[in-house]
Amino acid sequence: MWRLFKKLSSGIAIDLGTANTLIYQQGRGIVYREPSVVARRRKTKEILAVGREAKKMIGKTPEAIEAFYPLRNGVIADFDAAQAMLSYYLGKLSGESFWSRLSQKIVVIGTPSGSTEVERRALSEAVLEAGAQRCYLIEEPMAAAIGAQLPVEQAKGILICDIGGGTTEIAVISLSGIVLNRSLKMAGHK
């Protein structure tokens, strides 16, 4: 029975960045690495393209279409566009195999350490509305430390500096927690 549950449960981790989105699936590694861009019709809000296809449209669209980044400084600036982007990626994962379509999606997603409770709730709601059954938020410096396989559970300080497109996350981690952190709204774009 436990094997069947493990087969029906797919762990997904999402790094929803200002510039790029990375999606990791348990057992497969990184399955998507796409620009965090959405193209849609201005009046109807109909999504026309997501990711690389949408990025090709930036600066080349007629007045009726907009191509843009739905995140600014690491947080959701346009909820509907971010939710549509997440739905697109989770939908692509679901369509890949019989087991994927049946699976219960458990999503872990990184959030800037300086984000507010309202920003965290918006992110969680966007993931759930995109098709996940459960969503867990993790602060980006902790996710970076775990991803780098650093000994975060030990009683010694680990300094992490995660420079993204819109934010720079700096933290000291010890005993599986963040001791001190700063989230700067200056990163790769500037």
Side-chain angles (χ1 to χ4, degrees), residues 47 61 86 96 151 169 172:
I47 302 299
T61 61
L86 288 166
E96 290 182 356
E169 299 285 331
V172 175

Side-chain angles (χ1 to χ4, degrees), residues 7 23 56 58 98 105 109 125 138 167 176:
K7 189 106 173 144
I23 299 182
K56 291 176 189 175
I58 290 180
F98 173 75
K105 290 183 182 68
I109 190 163
E125 286 176 16
I138 183 171
T167 58
S176 301

Side-chain angles (χ1 to χ4, degrees), residues 174-185:
S174 179
L175 296 171
S176 301
I178 295 177
V179 178
L180 180 67
N181 68 303
R182 295 287 180 267
S183 182
L184 307 174
K185 305 265 189 230

Side-chain angles (χ1 to χ4, degrees), residues 39-89:
R40 69 181 178 194
R41 296 196 189 282
R42 288 187 193 273
K43 286 187 180 180
T44 64
K45 306 292 186 194
E46 173 194 358
I47 302 299
L48 302 173
V50 173
R52 285 185 186 93
E53 291 301 312
K55 188 171 183 179
K56 291 176 189 175
M57 297 179 185
I58 290 180
K60 301 172 190 154
T61 61
E63 190 65 32
I65 297 173
E66 60 183 344
F68 64 99
Y69 291 86
L71 284 91
R72 283 192 198 91
N73 299 323
V75 295
I76 295 174
D78 187 310
F79 180 84
D80 293 332
Q83 188 268 328
M85 185 172 67
L86 288 166
S87 290
Y88 174 78
Y89 291 127

Side-chain angles (χ1 to χ4, degrees), residues 87-108:
S87 290
Y88 174 78
Y89 291 127
L90 292 177
K92 280 180 74 171
L93 284 174
S94 294
E96 290 182 356
S97 72
F98 173 75
W99 288 111
S100 294
R101 287 191 294 276
L102 290 178
S103 69
Q104 177 183 12
K105 290 183 182 68
I106 300 168
V107 176
V108 176

